[in-house]
Amino acid sequence: MNTVGPYHNRQETYKYFSLPFCAGSKKTISHYHETLGEALQGVELEFSGLDIKFKEEVMQTTYCEIDLDRPKQDAFVYAIKNHYWYQMYIDDLPIWGIVGEADENGEEHYLWTYKKLEIGYNGNRIVDVNLTSEGKVKLMPNTRIAMSYSVKWKKSDVKFEDRFDKYLDPSFFQHRIHWFSIFNSFMMVIFLVGLVSMILMRTLRKDYARYSKEEEMDDMLSVAVYQQDRDLGDEYGWKQVHGDVFRPSSHPLIFSSLIGSGCQIFSVSFIVIVVAMVEDLYTERGSMLSTAIFVYAATSPVNGYFGGSLYAKQGGRRWIKQMFIGAFMIPAMVCGTAFFINFIAIYYHASRAIPFGTMVRVLHCNTQKEFKFEACSVAVCCDPIKVVRFEHLVEVINSRSNEATGQAVNE
């Protein structure tokens, strides 16, 4: 079992057993793995207790009972009113089911108690899983509700490498496309582009007229008048902008760090999109996020090269400080925002709440790898004097560490 949450808000998820469901007698599972992406996305896999063996059919069997008291009834009623649904995995194939439903008046609430599983196999591999919820039972306090399941196996012609194709079918999920928002955004873009174009045309019309006279003045005016008007035109209007465009930034340290971080984010986006097109990242839980984190750490030389080279071109001298800022700027902003949101998730006991130790380990490993890569890139893109300083700094650190080790041995 994975998570449970409201159907109309897929980001709000909780642990499956946060609702008073009962678990079966089985306590272990044949295989289980959790990656870094799963931990960051809040995947909380728990044993369902269902005893399912390969190619062994199970008739409708009761695996546990719920002693329904008033607090448990209120929890189920709240979940049904908010259209809670749950997600579970069988051999890494996701399936979804609804917790229960209410009557037409919304006064009586019913819980689905029977999980009817139909599993397709090809050879010795599971290639398809379907779940049907049945056994509608009315929620009443001080009663016992029996939870049951059944398993039916069927042979399928679907290949194992194609078993996730049905999840890519647009008709599989009920997509809710907000056409009005899309049309509103599209019209807003057209309006802003037209407004900016009109302002530019009105502003630059006189400049265009002045510059076009240069082609008609060879016979009508003298050379002196032509030269005077041409000099006036070169210094008039939008041509004066070149003095602001090519001037160095007033804060080259921050500017170069932002440019380097932007180049790195662009590289990460491009590489992840290409990898997602070539490989089937959607077949593994959290693989997309894990790939993005690894690529971000591996593309740190891009940040160091472009940020360091731009800082050197603008005459910057504090390249070590620029290296630190470029390495820690994006991780600090992302992790700061994530920490704040994570504290809220922990307060509401959401499944997406990441343990504090996991966040610290991710931040430490990611920034450590990025800093190592970026240090080499910044040293390469700077001039030879800075490279010598960098090598001298490394030699000093190594010599001091060796001296400290020798003193400890002598003592």
Side-chain angles (χ1 to χ4, degrees):
M1 308 303 296
N2 185 16
T3 55
V4 64
Y7 177 79
H8 300 292
N9 186 6
R10 302 297 179 89
Q11 303 301 320
E12 182 184 354
T13 56
Y14 306 95
K15 294 182 179 181
Y16 176 78
F17 289 105
S18 61
L19 291 178
F21 286 109
C22 60
S25 58
K26 186 176 181 181
K27 301 299 182 183
T28 59
I29 197 169
S30 58
H31 65 281
Y32 175 78
H33 59 86
E34 184 176 7
T35 62
L36 176 61
E38 292 180 5
L40 295 179
Q41 288 183 343
V43 176
E44 295 287 346
L45 297 182
E46 298 179 275
F47 302 145
S48 63
L50 303 180
D51 191 4
I52 302 176
K53 297 180 180 179
F54 188 67
K55 291 186 181 181
E56 290 188 7
E57 295 193 358
V58 180
M59 303 302 293
Q60 184 174 357
T61 305
T62 300
Y63 64 93
C64 68
E65 292 183 348
I66 301 175
D67 294 326
L68 192 65
D69 53 11
R70 178 62 67 177
K72 293 182 180 180
Q73 181 191 11
D74 294 339
F76 279 123
V77 169
Y78 177 82
I80 294 172
K81 286 183 178 180
N82 290 274
H83 305 283
Y84 270 43
W85 62 285
Y86 59 88
Q87 184 186 46
M88 60 185 299
Y89 287 90
I90 296 181
D91 194 30
D92 291 335
L93 290 174
I95 51 179
W96 297 267
I98 196 73
V99 173
E101 66 176 19
D103 59 359
E104 297 180 355
N105 298 326
E107 298 178 355
E108 297 181 353
H109 302 84
Y110 300 88
L111 181 70
W112 296 110
T113 61
Y114 177 31
K115 295 180 177 65
K116 187 176 181 180
L117 297 169
E118 186 174 345
I119 305 176
Y121 66 93
N122 188 352
N124 59 349
R125 297 292 188 92
I126 296 176
V127 295
D128 188 24
V129 178
N130 292 310
L131 171 64
T132 304
S133 298
E134 298 180 358
K136 186 168 60 175
V137 176
K138 183 178 178 181
L139 294 175
M140 298 180 63
N142 302 322
T143 58
R144 293 176 66 89
I145 299 178
M147 305 296 293
S148 60
Y149 78 105
S150 66
V151 181
K152 182 179 180 181
W153 295 84
K154 66 175 183 178
K155 193 173 182 179
S156 177
D157 297 330
V158 179
K159 296 181 180 180
F160 180 77
E161 56 270 15
D162 299 332
R163 63 178 187 162
F164 278 91
D165 289 350
K166 77 171 188 177
Y167 299 104
L168 302 178
D169 187 5
S171 61
F172 184 81
F173 293 100
Q174 182 181 359
H175 297 279
R176 302 177 61 190
I177 302 176
H178 300 277
W179 292 108
F180 179 76
S181 299
I182 296 175
F183 178 77
N184 187 23
S185 301
F186 182 73
M187 295 303 297
M188 183 65 68
V189 170
I190 294 178
F191 172 75
L192 292 177
V193 170
L195 180 63
V196 173
S197 301
M198 184 178 64
I199 294 175
L200 289 177
M201 290 300 297
R202 293 185 60 181
T203 304
L204 303 178
R205 184 182 302 172
K206 295 181 180 180
D207 295 340
Y208 289 152
R210 180 180 295 273
Y211 301 143
S212 63
K213 291 181 180 180
E214 296 181 356
E215 299 178 356
E216 301 176 357
M217 285 212 171
D218 50 354
D219 296 330
M220 298 176 60
L221 298 176
S222 62
V223 178
V225 175
Y226 170 71
Q227 184 67 30
Q228 180 181 1
D229 189 66
R230 187 180 64 178
D231 295 339
L232 182 60
D234 290 339
E235 300 175 359
Y236 182 81
W238 63 274
K239 281 194 173 183
Q240 295 179 347
V241 180
H242 75 277
D244 294 329
V245 173
F246 297 102
R247 64 178 175 84
S249 174
S250 57
H251 300 282
L253 192 65
I254 304 298
F255 180 72
S256 58
S257 300
L258 290 174
I259 295 297
S261 300
C263 294
Q264 184 181 7
I265 293 175
F266 176 79
S267 302
V268 171
S269 303
F270 178 77
I271 294 174
V272 171
I273 291 174
V274 172
V275 173
M277 294 172 61
V278 176
E279 299 291 335
D280 297 334
L281 295 181
Y282 55 86
T283 59
E284 295 290 339
R285 296 182 298 270
S287 58
M288 184 73 73
L289 182 58
S290 300
T291 303
I293 293 175
F294 173 78
V295 173
Y296 181 82
T299 55
S300 298
V302 177
N303 188 348
Y305 177 77
F306 285 98
S309 61
L310 181 61
Y311 184 69
K313 291 178 181 178
Q314 294 186 355
R317 298 299 179 184
R318 296 178 295 177
W319 64 276
I320 297 180
K321 186 176 181 180
Q322 192 277 331
M323 178 181 62
F324 275 98
I325 294 177
F328 291 99
M329 176 178 292
I330 298 299
M333 291 189 296
V334 173
C335 292
T337 306
F339 269 109
F340 175 75
I341 298 176
N342 191 64
F343 287 144
I344 299 176
I346 293 175
Y347 176 78
Y348 286 100
H349 303 284
S351 65
R352 292 182 179 270
I354 306 170
F356 182 78
T358 302
M359 296 190 68
V360 172
R361 286 195 299 269
V362 172
L363 178 62
H364 173 71
C365 295
N366 195 18
T367 53
Q368 186 178 15
K369 293 179 181 178
E370 184 183 1
F371 178 74
K372 289 180 179 178
F373 285 134
E374 190 169 352
C376 299
S377 301
V378 172
V380 169
C381 71
C382 296
D383 55 358
I385 298 177
K386 295 180 180 178
V387 176
V388 173
R389 291 178 180 176
F390 181 81
E391 294 176 351
H392 178 67
L393 177 63
V394 174
E395 293 176 357
V396 170
I397 294 175
N398 292 332
S399 62
R400 290 183 179 178
S401 62
N402 294 331
E403 292 175 0
T405 305
Q407 292 177 1
V409 172
N410 294 330
E411 291 177 358

